[in-house]
Amino acid sequence: MAEVVDNFDWDNVGASGFGGNYTAEQRAEMEQMYGETLTTVQEEEVVKGTVVGITDRDVILNIGFKSDGLVPLSEFRDLTDLKIGDQVEVFIEDQEDSNGQLILSRKKAKIKQAWKAIYDALENDTILEGVVKRRTKGGLIMDLDGVEAFLPGSQIDVKPIRDFDIYVGRRMEVKVVKINAAFDNVVVSHKVLIEKDLEKQREAILNNLEKGQILEGVIKNMTNFGVFIDLGGVDGLLHITDISWGRIAHPSEVLQLDQKLNVVVLDFDEAKKRISLGLKQLTPHPWDSLPQDLQPGSKVKGRIVNVADYGAFMEIVPGVEGLIHVSEMSWSQHLRNPQDFIKQGDVVEAQILTLDREDRKMSLGIKQLSEDPWTRGDFGTKYAVGTKHNGLVRNLTNFGLFVELEEGVDGLVHVSDLSWTKKIKHPSEVVKVGDRLDVVVLELDVANRRLALGHKQLEENPWDTFQTVFTPGSVHKATITEKTDRGAVLELPYGIEGFAYPKSLAKEDGSQAENGEQLDFRVVEFSKDDRRIVLSHTAVFNQQQEDDSRASKFTKKKTTGGAAGAPAQGEGKLSDLKKPATAEKSTLGDLDALSALRDKMMGNEREAGEQKLKTSAAPKKAAKAEATEAPETAEAPAATEEGGLLSTITGAASAAFDKAKEVAGEAIDAATHSDAFNKAKEVAGDVVEKVTEVAGDVVDKAKDLIAGDEAEGKKDEEKA
């Protein structure tokens, strides 16, 4: 129980109030002592505080203010050994909240201090240390005492980094290279810290670098054309061709990233600081170890490593290659794409054709392993002139096409040997590459390996028959298929083509025939050798006028002069010639008879030719069926034979008749208009006499031949 004070002055206490018993001096002294224990603080400042208590959730800090502040315990996770009495820096967020509590933050204090350190590092070019928190796109995120900074992938190291994850969680020293205050972004670099050290190493390497020097390096990057090797501060290029003596498609076939290897310095550009390195040069060249028993004629086996337009390269051993030219792949003289024979990666066998060990060149051949078809014993018999074959069209040219009869045996079919009737400008109008074509051998030259082939020769030459059908003066239906300034191409019966000049296309009404029209055309010229037929539409309706004009002119010349008295100069009568009038009349009659006979014989020959063309155009089976059902068609061969006989007679008679009319007309003109009238009379008389004699002989022979043919025909009918 407390002790009670005796004689306590209760009145004095109650009258003066609390503290009322202090004097002014005592009160001032007490306020000074209390003021020294308190500090003035401002919000958003970083101050030091002392830990006065630790709870399960908060840490109680005394910063010298009128009240203590609370900081969440989670902000002290980096201080595992925190205890009462420790001093830490904190940030004053609020002097007094709604509950009158002082709000502090250690995290914000660290961030503010970190930003101050970052700005100082950028200004003074100092080094900061931080922890890599995570990986992000294009680089890493670092924690610099609570401030996140971006470390680009290109600024991590002097060599390219392929895996950023290996840096997560590491502590790294960096330099601040850029600050964006508006967005609170910081960019740092670790590469600049090691570049200074590498620059010293690079200078030391470049100063001591020499060609042929062997260095150790690490592969830092790999491309299609080679690899870049880190030689310890300086990079060198190892080209793909200097990696291996053999061919490789990509460096990854023999090398790996981060691989250590020894390389030799091939070249060095001091100005551009470029170093060319080599790896295969550290091993002997394979050509030097090539077996001596390999000589031209030896058979070798290897892998195709490259295929070009002109041939393929075969690798016998790594580093030793030979060229197989496309001409040495097949006995065929028609060059083709090497891809038709072999492909890259194939393993083939070949024969050595040439071998040059000094220049390290080798040529190979594949066709030498098989027999040359041109040297076979039966080649001349198999491809003798006149033999028929079926081949593959390999190539088309402007002058013809090449047909492969068998592997290594090609022949040329000239464009003129494709068709008897059509004028073919290019072989593509008839065939295309890859088609099969029936041909016949026209010429064979084994020494020069030349084979001339023909396609149209498989059929009989229809021009022998055409000359009996398309005789000069005959009229035929024709269609204009092509029209140009030079004339028109006509399509005649039996698939034959003709030609008409522009002046021959005029119609009777004065208009011009156009493309596609079908009209009557008269044959003006026929040439079997040139396979040429010239026709005229205008001559169809002008022919009668020309005939009437010629007859009128001939009659006028015949009756020129008076009935009595001496003829005028340049005039005369046909009756004044040496031969009597009766002889003249007989001669002219014979000429008319000969003309009629000629027309009849030519008509018969034309009918025979048309029958022959129709028979040849029909299928063989149909022709046999018609011969069985209609016996009269059996007379076609006889008609054909008769046509050949009549053709001979007609040709002679026609020539004699035309020549007779021409010479007679010239003689009469000379007799009429010549000053030497008497001389002309003699010449004209001789001409008429000679013409009469020749014409009479021709008429007699023609009659005898026809009579003999008719007699034989009757005998055949009687036998039938």
Side-chain angles (χ1 to χ4, degrees):
M1 186 176 180
E3 183 180 357
V4 179
V5 179
D6 296 335
N7 302 323
F8 185 77
D9 190 1
W10 292 97
D11 295 335
N12 188 23
V13 174
S16 58
F18 182 77
N21 56 349
Y22 284 101
T23 64
E25 294 179 357
Q26 290 176 342
R27 188 178 182 87
E29 183 180 357
M30 289 292 291
E31 289 179 353
Q32 182 179 1
M33 291 175 59
Y34 182 74
E36 291 178 356
T37 62
L38 298 176
T39 58
T40 302
V41 296
Q42 295 182 356
E43 293 180 358
E44 298 183 357
E45 281 189 352
V46 177
V47 296
K48 284 189 177 182
T50 303
V51 179
V52 295
I54 301 175
T55 67
D56 295 339
R57 297 178 58 184
D58 301 315
V59 176
I60 303 172
L61 295 173
N62 180 13
I63 63 172
F65 195 53
K66 63 181 179 179
S67 61
D68 293 336
L70 296 178
V71 179
L73 183 61
S74 60
E75 296 187 9
F76 293 90
R77 286 178 297 182
D78 58 328
L79 298 177
T80 57
D81 57 348
L82 182 67
K83 60 184 181 298
I84 296 176
D86 290 346
Q87 289 188 342
V88 293
E89 291 183 342
V90 292
F91 179 79
I92 301 175
E93 292 189 51
D94 196 352
Q95 292 183 5
E96 186 176 347
D97 61 2
S98 59
N99 296 324
Q101 181 66 46
L102 176 65
I103 306 300
L104 303 176
S105 174
R106 182 172 180 265
K107 179 180 179 181
K108 291 184 178 181
K110 290 176 64 64
I111 292 175
K112 189 168 184 179
Q113 290 298 103
W115 274 106
K116 184 177 182 301
I118 289 172
Y119 277 100
D120 291 341
L122 179 62
E123 182 178 357
N124 302 323
D125 195 23
T126 56
I127 299 174
L128 298 178
E129 186 176 357
V131 179
V132 178
K133 293 179 61 176
R134 63 183 183 275
R135 174 184 175 178
T136 187
K137 183 179 179 180
L140 301 172
I141 298 297
M142 295 191 64
D143 182 7
L144 300 179
D145 294 333
V147 178
E148 290 187 349
F150 177 61
L151 175 59
S154 60
Q155 297 297 320
I156 298 176
D157 203 343
V158 292
K159 60 182 179 180
I161 302 300
R162 291 173 294 278
D163 186 9
F164 293 163
D165 294 332
I166 61 176
Y167 292 93
V168 177
R170 288 188 184 182
R171 297 192 66 86
M172 297 178 63
E173 291 183 342
V174 293
K175 274 192 174 184
V176 180
V177 295
K178 184 179 180 181
I179 297 177
N180 189 339
F183 298 97
D184 293 337
N185 290 338
V186 181
V187 181
V188 296
S189 172
H190 177 69
K191 178 181 177 180
V192 295
L193 297 178
I194 59 179
E195 278 185 341
K196 292 183 179 179
D197 296 336
L198 292 177
E199 185 63 28
K200 295 179 181 178
Q201 297 178 12
R202 185 182 296 109
E203 291 179 358
I205 293 175
L206 295 177
N207 291 334
N208 299 325
L209 198 63
E210 296 179 356
K211 291 183 180 181
Q213 184 179 2
I214 299 176
L215 302 175
E216 184 182 34
V218 179
I219 298 176
K220 60 181 293 186
N221 193 17
M222 190 173 294
T223 64
N224 293 330
F225 57 85
V227 296
F228 290 94
I229 298 180
D230 183 8
L231 300 176
V234 61
D235 294 343
L237 174 62
L238 175 60
H239 198 268
I240 188 172
T241 57
D242 294 317
I243 295 177
S244 172
W245 290 112
R247 287 177 181 260
I248 57 175
H250 195 272
S252 59
E253 296 179 11
V254 293
L255 300 176
Q256 297 178 356
L257 289 171
D258 300 326
Q259 179 182 349
K260 288 185 179 181
L261 69 166
N262 292 329
V263 290
V264 60
V265 178
L266 301 180
D267 196 7
F268 170 58
D269 189 342
E270 187 174 359
K272 297 181 180 180
K273 296 182 179 181
R274 293 181 180 176
I275 304 175
S276 298
L277 305 174
L279 179 63
K280 70 179 184 181
Q281 288 77 6
L282 298 176
T283 58
H285 199 290
W287 274 88
D288 298 335
S289 57
L290 198 65
Q292 294 296 327
D293 58 350
L294 284 181
Q295 298 295 333
S298 302
K299 295 181 181 180
V300 292
K301 194 174 185 180
R303 181 175 63 92
I304 302 299
V305 294
N306 188 28
V307 180
D309 294 337
Y310 52 86
F313 291 91
M314 188 178 79
E315 185 181 60
I316 300 175
V317 295
V320 179
E321 298 177 1
L323 173 62
I324 307 175
H325 195 266
V326 64
S327 62
E328 302 298 337
M329 295 181 180
S330 171
W331 288 110
S332 175
Q333 294 181 352
H334 172 62
L335 298 182
R336 285 180 276 175
N337 193 326
Q339 293 282 358
D340 297 340
F341 300 96
I342 51 180
K343 293 179 175 57
Q344 187 170 343
D346 291 348
V347 177
V348 298
E349 188 177 10
Q351 180 176 326
I352 299 178
L353 303 180
T354 61
L355 180 63
D356 189 344
R357 296 179 182 269
E358 294 182 359
D359 294 337
R360 295 172 178 174
K361 293 181 180 180
M362 182 189 304
S363 62
L364 306 171
I366 297 178
K367 70 180 184 181
Q368 287 75 12
L369 301 178
S370 60
E371 184 182 6
D372 184 0
W374 286 83
T375 60
R376 290 201 311 258
D378 62 340
F379 185 83
T381 305
K382 184 177 180 180
Y383 297 104
V385 176
T387 56
K388 299 178 182 180
H389 305 273
N390 180 271
L392 185 66
V393 178
R394 282 295 186 184
N395 189 24
L396 302 180
T397 64
N398 292 330
F399 55 85
L401 57 95
F402 289 92
V403 177
E404 185 181 54
L405 303 181
E406 65 173 278
E407 183 67 28
V409 180
D410 293 348
L412 172 64
V413 180
H414 196 269
V415 67
S416 62
D417 292 322
L418 289 174
S419 175
W420 287 111
T421 58
K422 295 183 179 180
K423 293 185 178 179
I424 300 173
K425 298 179 181 178
H426 194 273
S428 59
E429 300 175 12
V430 180
V431 295
K432 60 181 181 293
V433 176
D435 290 348
R436 299 200 68 87
L437 188 68
D438 292 327
V439 293
V440 60
V441 178
L442 302 181
E443 295 180 12
L444 176 61
D445 187 353
V446 179
N448 295 319
R449 294 175 178 261
R450 291 179 180 178
L451 197 62
L453 307 174
H455 176 67
K456 71 179 184 181
Q457 287 78 6
L458 294 171
E459 300 176 355
E460 183 182 356
N461 186 358
W463 285 86
D464 295 336
T465 308
F466 287 157
Q467 68 178 352
T468 65
V469 176
F470 299 97
T471 56
S474 59
V475 178
H476 305 271
K477 286 284 186 180
T479 303
I480 301 176
T481 60
E482 182 181 354
K483 186 177 179 182
T484 62
D485 295 338
R486 300 179 57 186
V489 178
L490 309 176
E491 181 181 355
L492 294 167
Y494 316 110
I496 192 171
E497 291 183 351
F499 182 79
Y501 290 102
K503 64 180 181 179
S504 301
L505 298 175
K507 297 183 180 179
E508 192 170 2
D509 58 0
S511 61
Q512 285 284 323
E514 298 298 335
N515 193 15
E517 289 192 62
Q518 186 178 23
L519 303 170
D520 289 333
F521 284 84
R522 185 181 294 276
V523 178
V524 178
E525 178 185 347
F526 181 92
S527 176
K528 173 185 173 182
D529 296 334
D530 297 334
R531 297 202 299 275
R532 173 183 173 87
I533 303 178
V534 180
L535 304 101
S536 172
H537 173 66
T538 306
V540 173
F541 54 85
N542 283 345
Q543 183 66 30
Q544 186 61 38
Q545 299 177 7
E546 293 178 4
D547 294 342
D548 295 343
S549 176
R550 290 180 180 177
S552 174
K553 181 178 179 182
F554 185 79
T555 304
K556 183 177 179 181
K557 292 179 180 180
K558 175 181 176 182
T559 59
T560 300
Q569 185 177 358
E571 298 180 354
K573 297 187 300 181
L574 192 59
S575 58
D576 295 332
L577 300 179
K578 288 184 178 181
K579 290 295 179 181
T582 55
E584 180 183 356
K585 183 176 181 180
S586 176
T587 302
L588 293 177
D590 288 342
L591 291 177
D592 293 337
L594 180 60
S595 177
L597 177 62
R598 180 190 63 175
D599 294 339
K600 179 181 179 181
M601 295 169 66
M602 291 180 65
N604 294 336
E605 188 175 1
R606 184 183 305 166
E607 291 178 0
E610 291 176 353
Q611 180 65 30
K612 183 177 181 180
L613 290 174
K614 291 178 181 179
T615 304
S616 61
K620 293 183 179 180
K621 292 183 179 179
K624 291 181 179 179
E626 290 177 2
T628 304
E629 296 176 2
E632 56 271 17
T633 56
E635 297 179 2
T640 303
E641 295 176 1
E642 182 181 355
L645 181 62
L646 294 177
S647 176
T648 304
I649 300 173
T650 303
S654 177
F657 178 77
D658 292 339
K659 189 65 177 178
K661 290 179 66 177
E662 179 183 355
V663 175
E666 292 177 356
I668 293 172
D669 289 342
T672 304
H673 302 288
S674 175
D675 292 339
F677 179 70
N678 295 329
K679 183 65 176 176
K681 287 172 60 179
E682 296 178 1
V683 173
D686 294 338
V687 169
V688 172
E689 182 180 2
K690 188 63 176 177
V691 169
T692 302
E693 181 181 353
V694 173
D697 293 340
V698 172
V699 171
D700 293 339
K701 291 181 180 179
K703 291 179 178 179
D704 294 339
L705 290 174
I706 293 174
D709 291 341
E710 291 177 352
E712 291 180 1
K714 290 181 180 180
K715 291 181 180 180
D716 294 337
E717 290 179 359
E718 293 175 357
K719 291 180 180 180

